PDB file of all heavy atoms in Angstrom:
ATOM      1  N   GLY A   3     -28.894 -22.191 -12.052  1.00 59.00           N
ATOM      2  CA  GLY A   3     -27.909 -21.468 -11.302  1.00 59.00           C
ATOM      3  C   GLY A   3     -28.413 -20.970  -9.939  1.00 59.00           C
ATOM      4  O   GLY A   3     -29.594 -21.056  -9.667  1.00 59.00           O
ATOM      5  N   MET A  16     -28.488  -3.205 -12.891  1.00 95.00           N
ATOM      6  CA  MET A  16     -29.785  -3.054 -13.655  1.00 95.00           C
ATOM      7  C   MET A  16     -30.645  -1.946 -13.034  1.00 95.00           C
ATOM      8  O   MET A  16     -31.167  -1.097 -13.765  1.00 95.00           O
ATOM      9  CB  MET A  16     -30.554  -4.362 -13.636  1.00 95.00           C
ATOM     10  CG  MET A  16     -30.180  -5.325 -14.714  1.00 95.00           C
ATOM     11  SD  MET A  16     -31.028  -6.924 -14.541  1.00 95.00           S
ATOM     12  CE  MET A  16     -32.652  -6.463 -15.132  1.00 95.00           C
ATOM     13  N   GLY A  23     -31.887   5.876 -16.560  1.00 94.00           N
ATOM     14  CA  GLY A  23     -32.606   5.976 -17.868  1.00 94.00           C
ATOM     15  C   GLY A  23     -33.909   6.706 -17.717  1.00 94.00           C
ATOM     16  O   GLY A  23     -34.203   7.620 -18.503  1.00 94.00           O
ATOM     17  N   GLU A  33     -30.678  16.699 -27.010  1.00 89.00           N
ATOM     18  CA  GLU A  33     -29.232  16.560 -26.984  1.00 89.00           C
ATOM     19  C   GLU A  33     -28.730  16.053 -25.631  1.00 89.00           C
ATOM     20  O   GLU A  33     -27.780  15.367 -25.543  1.00 89.00           O
ATOM     21  CB  GLU A  33     -28.549  17.902 -27.283  1.00 89.00           C
ATOM     22  CG  GLU A  33     -28.559  18.309 -28.697  1.00 89.00           C
ATOM     23  CD  GLU A  33     -29.696  19.301 -28.982  1.00 89.00           C
ATOM     24  OE1 GLU A  33     -30.760  19.187 -28.270  1.00 89.00           O
ATOM     25  OE2 GLU A  33     -29.548  20.150 -29.900  1.00 89.00           O
ATOM     26  N   LYS A  35     -30.533  14.157 -23.487  1.00 90.00           N
ATOM     27  CA  LYS A  35     -31.031  12.852 -23.057  1.00 90.00           C
ATOM     28  C   LYS A  35     -30.848  11.678 -24.011  1.00 90.00           C
ATOM     29  O   LYS A  35     -30.938  10.539 -23.569  1.00 90.00           O
ATOM     30  CB  LYS A  35     -32.520  12.952 -22.617  1.00 90.00           C
ATOM     31  CG  LYS A  35     -33.467  13.422 -23.674  1.00 90.00           C
ATOM     32  CD  LYS A  35     -34.848  13.616 -22.983  1.00 90.00           C
ATOM     33  CE  LYS A  35     -35.851  14.177 -23.953  1.00 90.00           C
ATOM     34  NZ  LYS A  35     -37.128  14.466 -23.281  1.00 90.00           N
ATOM     35  N   CYS A  42     -28.034   3.687 -21.358  1.00 95.00           N
ATOM     36  CA  CYS A  42     -28.680   3.032 -20.234  1.00 95.00           C
ATOM     37  C   CYS A  42     -29.482   1.817 -20.786  1.00 95.00           C
ATOM     38  O   CYS A  42     -29.502   0.737 -20.192  1.00 95.00           O
ATOM     39  CB  CYS A  42     -29.626   3.974 -19.554  1.00 95.00           C
ATOM     40  SG  CYS A  42     -28.775   5.106 -18.443  1.00 95.00           S
ATOM     41  N   GLU A  52     -26.797 -11.017 -19.191  1.00 91.00           N
ATOM     42  CA  GLU A  52     -25.721 -11.628 -18.353  1.00 91.00           C
ATOM     43  C   GLU A  52     -26.370 -12.311 -17.114  1.00 91.00           C
ATOM     44  O   GLU A  52     -25.978 -13.414 -16.720  1.00 91.00           O
ATOM     45  CB  GLU A  52     -24.743 -10.513 -17.916  1.00 91.00           C
ATOM     46  CG  GLU A  52     -23.454 -10.992 -17.284  1.00 91.00           C
ATOM     47  CD  GLU A  52     -22.549 -11.764 -18.251  1.00 91.00           C
ATOM     48  OE1 GLU A  52     -22.760 -11.675 -19.480  1.00 91.00           O
ATOM     49  OE2 GLU A  52     -21.647 -12.424 -17.709  1.00 91.00           O
ATOM     50  N   ARG A  54     -29.411 -13.435 -16.918  1.00 91.00           N
ATOM     51  CA  ARG A  54     -30.142 -14.608 -17.385  1.00 91.00           C
ATOM     52  C   ARG A  54     -29.182 -15.793 -17.548  1.00 91.00           C
ATOM     53  O   ARG A  54     -29.450 -16.902 -17.113  1.00 91.00           O
ATOM     54  CB  ARG A  54     -30.781 -14.316 -18.714  1.00 91.00           C
ATOM     55  CG  ARG A  54     -31.600 -15.471 -19.337  1.00 91.00           C
ATOM     56  CD  ARG A  54     -32.075 -15.126 -20.763  1.00 91.00           C
ATOM     57  NE  ARG A  54     -30.954 -14.896 -21.681  1.00 91.00           N
ATOM     58  CZ  ARG A  54     -30.247 -15.856 -22.260  1.00 91.00           C
ATOM     59  NH1 ARG A  54     -30.552 -17.125 -22.045  1.00 91.00           N
ATOM     60  NH2 ARG A  54     -29.272 -15.581 -23.050  1.00 91.00           N
ATOM     61  N   LYS A  55     -28.018 -15.508 -18.119  1.00 88.00           N
ATOM     62  CA  LYS A  55     -27.045 -16.547 -18.294  1.00 88.00           C
ATOM     63  C   LYS A  55     -26.561 -17.126 -16.966  1.00 88.00           C
ATOM     64  O   LYS A  55     -26.411 -18.303 -16.787  1.00 88.00           O
ATOM     65  CB  LYS A  55     -25.800 -15.984 -19.026  1.00 88.00           C
ATOM     66  CG  LYS A  55     -25.922 -15.910 -20.523  1.00 88.00           C
ATOM     67  CD  LYS A  55     -24.558 -15.517 -21.079  1.00 88.00           C
ATOM     68  CE  LYS A  55     -24.619 -14.863 -22.409  1.00 88.00           C
ATOM     69  NZ  LYS A  55     -23.349 -14.278 -22.782  1.00 88.00           N
ATOM     70  N   GLN A  60     -25.941 -20.970 -17.920  1.00 64.00           N
ATOM     71  CA  GLN A  60     -25.315 -21.042 -19.250  1.00 64.00           C
ATOM     72  C   GLN A  60     -23.932 -20.420 -19.260  1.00 64.00           C
ATOM     73  O   GLN A  60     -23.296 -20.383 -20.296  1.00 64.00           O
ATOM     74  CB  GLN A  60     -26.181 -20.260 -20.264  1.00 64.00           C
ATOM     75  CG  GLN A  60     -27.439 -20.954 -20.638  1.00 64.00           C
ATOM     76  CD  GLN A  60     -28.254 -20.143 -21.632  1.00 64.00           C
ATOM     77  OE1 GLN A  60     -27.736 -19.195 -22.185  1.00 64.00           O
ATOM     78  NE2 GLN A  60     -29.503 -20.537 -21.811  1.00 64.00           N
ATOM     79  N   VAL A  69      -7.080 -10.677 -16.611  1.00 47.00           N
ATOM     80  CA  VAL A  69      -7.971  -9.694 -17.210  1.00 47.00           C
ATOM     81  C   VAL A  69      -7.279  -8.344 -17.106  1.00 47.00           C
ATOM     82  O   VAL A  69      -6.840  -8.006 -15.973  1.00 47.00           O
ATOM     83  CB  VAL A  69      -9.325  -9.660 -16.456  1.00 47.00           C
ATOM     84  CG1 VAL A  69     -10.201  -8.542 -17.029  1.00 47.00           C
ATOM     85  CG2 VAL A  69     -10.069 -11.013 -16.642  1.00 47.00           C
ATOM     86  N   THR A  82     -16.487 -15.145  -3.769  1.00 69.00           N
ATOM     87  CA  THR A  82     -17.314 -15.801  -2.799  1.00 69.00           C
ATOM     88  C   THR A  82     -17.513 -14.784  -1.645  1.00 69.00           C
ATOM     89  O   THR A  82     -16.833 -13.768  -1.536  1.00 69.00           O
ATOM     90  CB  THR A  82     -16.532 -17.015  -2.217  1.00 69.00           C
ATOM     91  OG1 THR A  82     -15.314 -16.581  -1.684  1.00 69.00           O
ATOM     92  CG2 THR A  82     -16.284 -18.052  -3.285  1.00 69.00           C
ATOM     93  N   TYR A  89     -12.066  -8.417   1.563  1.00 86.00           N
ATOM     94  CA  TYR A  89     -12.077  -7.095   0.932  1.00 86.00           C
ATOM     95  C   TYR A  89     -12.627  -6.018   1.862  1.00 86.00           C
ATOM     96  O   TYR A  89     -12.106  -4.904   1.929  1.00 86.00           O
ATOM     97  CB  TYR A  89     -12.880  -7.115  -0.341  1.00 86.00           C
ATOM     98  CG  TYR A  89     -12.109  -7.511  -1.559  1.00 86.00           C
ATOM     99  CD1 TYR A  89     -12.192  -8.826  -2.038  1.00 86.00           C
ATOM    100  CD2 TYR A  89     -11.294  -6.657  -2.252  1.00 86.00           C
ATOM    101  CE1 TYR A  89     -11.478  -9.221  -3.139  1.00 86.00           C
ATOM    102  CE2 TYR A  89     -10.586  -7.032  -3.327  1.00 86.00           C
ATOM    103  CZ  TYR A  89     -10.671  -8.363  -3.781  1.00 86.00           C
ATOM    104  OH  TYR A  89      -9.968  -8.740  -4.853  1.00 86.00           O
ATOM    105  N   TRP A  95      -9.566  -0.630   6.466  1.00 93.00           N
ATOM    106  CA  TRP A  95      -8.261   0.096   6.696  1.00 93.00           C
ATOM    107  C   TRP A  95      -8.196   1.335   5.870  1.00 93.00           C
ATOM    108  O   TRP A  95      -7.671   2.356   6.316  1.00 93.00           O
ATOM    109  CB  TRP A  95      -7.118  -0.875   6.336  1.00 93.00           C
ATOM    110  CG  TRP A  95      -6.821  -1.856   7.414  1.00 93.00           C
ATOM    111  CD1 TRP A  95      -7.204  -3.124   7.471  1.00 93.00           C
ATOM    112  CD2 TRP A  95      -6.004  -1.616   8.571  1.00 93.00           C
ATOM    113  NE1 TRP A  95      -6.710  -3.754   8.642  1.00 93.00           N
ATOM    114  CE2 TRP A  95      -5.971  -2.846   9.325  1.00 93.00           C
ATOM    115  CE3 TRP A  95      -5.326  -0.526   9.093  1.00 93.00           C
ATOM    116  CZ2 TRP A  95      -5.306  -2.975  10.495  1.00 93.00           C
ATOM    117  CZ3 TRP A  95      -4.644  -0.665  10.293  1.00 93.00           C
ATOM    118  CH2 TRP A  95      -4.644  -1.854  10.980  1.00 93.00           C
ATOM    119  N   SER A 102      -8.642   9.262   9.534  1.00 92.00           N
ATOM    120  CA  SER A 102      -7.529   9.849  10.315  1.00 92.00           C
ATOM    121  C   SER A 102      -6.863  11.006   9.556  1.00 92.00           C
ATOM    122  O   SER A 102      -6.456  11.975  10.187  1.00 92.00           O
ATOM    123  CB  SER A 102      -6.511   8.742  10.714  1.00 92.00           C
ATOM    124  OG  SER A 102      -5.951   8.216   9.545  1.00 92.00           O
ATOM    125  N   ALA A 103      -6.795  10.889   8.227  1.00 90.00           N
ATOM    126  CA  ALA A 103      -6.215  11.965   7.452  1.00 90.00           C
ATOM    127  C   ALA A 103      -7.116  13.201   7.572  1.00 90.00           C
ATOM    128  O   ALA A 103      -6.631  14.362   7.648  1.00 90.00           O
ATOM    129  CB  ALA A 103      -6.081  11.541   5.982  1.00 90.00           C
ATOM    130  N   LEU A 105      -8.938  13.940  10.136  1.00 90.00           N
ATOM    131  CA  LEU A 105      -8.861  14.518  11.495  1.00 90.00           C
ATOM    132  C   LEU A 105      -7.473  15.078  11.815  1.00 90.00           C
ATOM    133  O   LEU A 105      -7.407  16.155  12.401  1.00 90.00           O
ATOM    134  CB  LEU A 105      -9.222  13.428  12.506  1.00 90.00           C
ATOM    135  CG  LEU A 105     -10.670  12.926  12.493  1.00 90.00           C
ATOM    136  CD1 LEU A 105     -10.827  11.676  13.361  1.00 90.00           C
ATOM    137  CD2 LEU A 105     -11.605  14.031  12.923  1.00 90.00           C
ATOM    138  N   PHE A 115      -0.596   4.965  10.106  1.00 93.00           N
ATOM    139  CA  PHE A 115      -1.275   3.873   9.410  1.00 93.00           C
ATOM    140  C   PHE A 115      -0.252   2.793   9.151  1.00 93.00           C
ATOM    141  O   PHE A 115      -0.491   1.589   9.391  1.00 93.00           O
ATOM    142  CB  PHE A 115      -1.926   4.390   8.137  1.00 93.00           C
ATOM    143  CG  PHE A 115      -2.203   3.290   7.139  1.00 93.00           C
ATOM    144  CD1 PHE A 115      -3.316   2.458   7.343  1.00 93.00           C
ATOM    145  CD2 PHE A 115      -1.380   3.091   6.036  1.00 93.00           C
ATOM    146  CE1 PHE A 115      -3.542   1.437   6.442  1.00 93.00           C
ATOM    147  CE2 PHE A 115      -1.641   2.064   5.153  1.00 93.00           C
ATOM    148  CZ  PHE A 115      -2.751   1.211   5.321  1.00 93.00           C
ATOM    149  N   VAL A 116       0.906   3.197   8.581  1.00 93.00           N
ATOM    150  CA  VAL A 116       1.915   2.226   8.200  1.00 93.00           C
ATOM    151  C   VAL A 116       2.382   1.402   9.417  1.00 93.00           C
ATOM    152  O   VAL A 116       2.377   0.174   9.347  1.00 93.00           O
ATOM    153  CB  VAL A 116       3.163   2.920   7.553  1.00 93.00           C
ATOM    154  CG1 VAL A 116       4.282   1.924   7.291  1.00 93.00           C
ATOM    155  CG2 VAL A 116       2.752   3.642   6.249  1.00 93.00           C
ATOM    156  N   THR A 122       0.095  -4.937  13.330  1.00 92.00           N
ATOM    157  CA  THR A 122      -1.069  -5.837  13.449  1.00 92.00           C
ATOM    158  C   THR A 122      -1.056  -6.966  12.391  1.00 92.00           C
ATOM    159  O   THR A 122      -1.861  -7.874  12.474  1.00 92.00           O
ATOM    160  CB  THR A 122      -2.394  -5.055  13.294  1.00 92.00           C
ATOM    161  OG1 THR A 122      -2.338  -4.310  12.093  1.00 92.00           O
ATOM    162  CG2 THR A 122      -2.678  -4.147  14.464  1.00 92.00           C
ATOM    163  N   ALA A 129      11.099  -3.669  11.829  1.00 90.00           N
ATOM    164  CA  ALA A 129      10.702  -3.539  10.406  1.00 90.00           C
ATOM    165  C   ALA A 129       9.576  -2.508  10.274  1.00 90.00           C
ATOM    166  O   ALA A 129       9.613  -1.709   9.338  1.00 90.00           O
ATOM    167  CB  ALA A 129      10.230  -4.904   9.829  1.00 90.00           C
ATOM    168  N   SER A 130       8.674  -2.553  11.229  1.00 92.00           N
ATOM    169  CA  SER A 130       7.551  -1.574  11.193  1.00 92.00           C
ATOM    170  C   SER A 130       8.071  -0.153  11.340  1.00 92.00           C
ATOM    171  O   SER A 130       7.625   0.755  10.679  1.00 92.00           O
ATOM    172  CB  SER A 130       6.547  -1.883  12.283  1.00 92.00           C
ATOM    173  OG  SER A 130       6.113  -3.199  12.191  1.00 92.00           O
ATOM    174  N   ILE A 132      11.122   1.017  10.721  1.00 92.00           N
ATOM    175  CA  ILE A 132      11.919   1.462   9.540  1.00 92.00           C
ATOM    176  C   ILE A 132      11.015   1.856   8.412  1.00 92.00           C
ATOM    177  O   ILE A 132      11.128   2.906   7.784  1.00 92.00           O
ATOM    178  CB  ILE A 132      12.935   0.363   9.109  1.00 92.00           C
ATOM    179  CG1 ILE A 132      13.980   0.173  10.178  1.00 92.00           C
ATOM    180  CG2 ILE A 132      13.543   0.692   7.724  1.00 92.00           C
ATOM    181  CD1 ILE A 132      14.874  -1.052   9.949  1.00 92.00           C
ATOM    182  N   THR A 140       9.149  10.075   3.136  1.00 80.00           N
ATOM    183  CA  THR A 140       8.742  10.243   1.736  1.00 80.00           C
ATOM    184  C   THR A 140       7.542  11.220   1.645  1.00 80.00           C
ATOM    185  O   THR A 140       7.544  12.129   0.770  1.00 80.00           O
ATOM    186  CB  THR A 140       8.306   8.879   1.158  1.00 80.00           C
ATOM    187  OG1 THR A 140       9.378   7.966   1.379  1.00 80.00           O
ATOM    188  CG2 THR A 140       8.069   8.997  -0.351  1.00 80.00           C
ATOM    189  N   VAL A 146       6.549  18.694   1.297  1.00 67.00           N
ATOM    190  CA  VAL A 146       7.228  19.945   1.700  1.00 67.00           C
ATOM    191  C   VAL A 146       8.420  20.264   0.778  1.00 67.00           C
ATOM    192  O   VAL A 146       8.420  21.236   0.046  1.00 67.00           O
ATOM    193  CB  VAL A 146       7.648  19.866   3.195  1.00 67.00           C
ATOM    194  CG1 VAL A 146       8.335  21.188   3.571  1.00 67.00           C
ATOM    195  CG2 VAL A 146       6.445  19.628   4.070  1.00 67.00           C
ATOM    196  N   LEU A 152      11.870  21.854  -5.652  1.00 57.00           N
ATOM    197  CA  LEU A 152      12.023  21.265  -7.045  1.00 57.00           C
ATOM    198  C   LEU A 152      10.892  21.655  -7.954  1.00 57.00           C
ATOM    199  O   LEU A 152      11.067  22.255  -8.965  1.00 57.00           O
ATOM    200  CB  LEU A 152      12.172  19.730  -6.949  1.00 57.00           C
ATOM    201  CG  LEU A 152      13.567  19.226  -6.519  1.00 57.00           C
ATOM    202  CD1 LEU A 152      13.541  17.734  -6.316  1.00 57.00           C
ATOM    203  CD2 LEU A 152      14.585  19.580  -7.565  1.00 57.00           C
TER     204      LEU A 152
END
Side-chain angles (χ1 to χ4, degrees):
Chain A
M16 274 174 76
E33 284 97 329
K35 59 186 176 186
C42 284
E52 192 68 14
R54 181 188 62 80
K55 278 188 203 167
Q60 286 179 13
V69 174
T82 58
Y89 272 99
W95 279 99
S102 62
L105 293 170
F115 160 78
V116 174
T122 53
S130 306
I132 292 170
T140 308
V146 179
L152 282 173

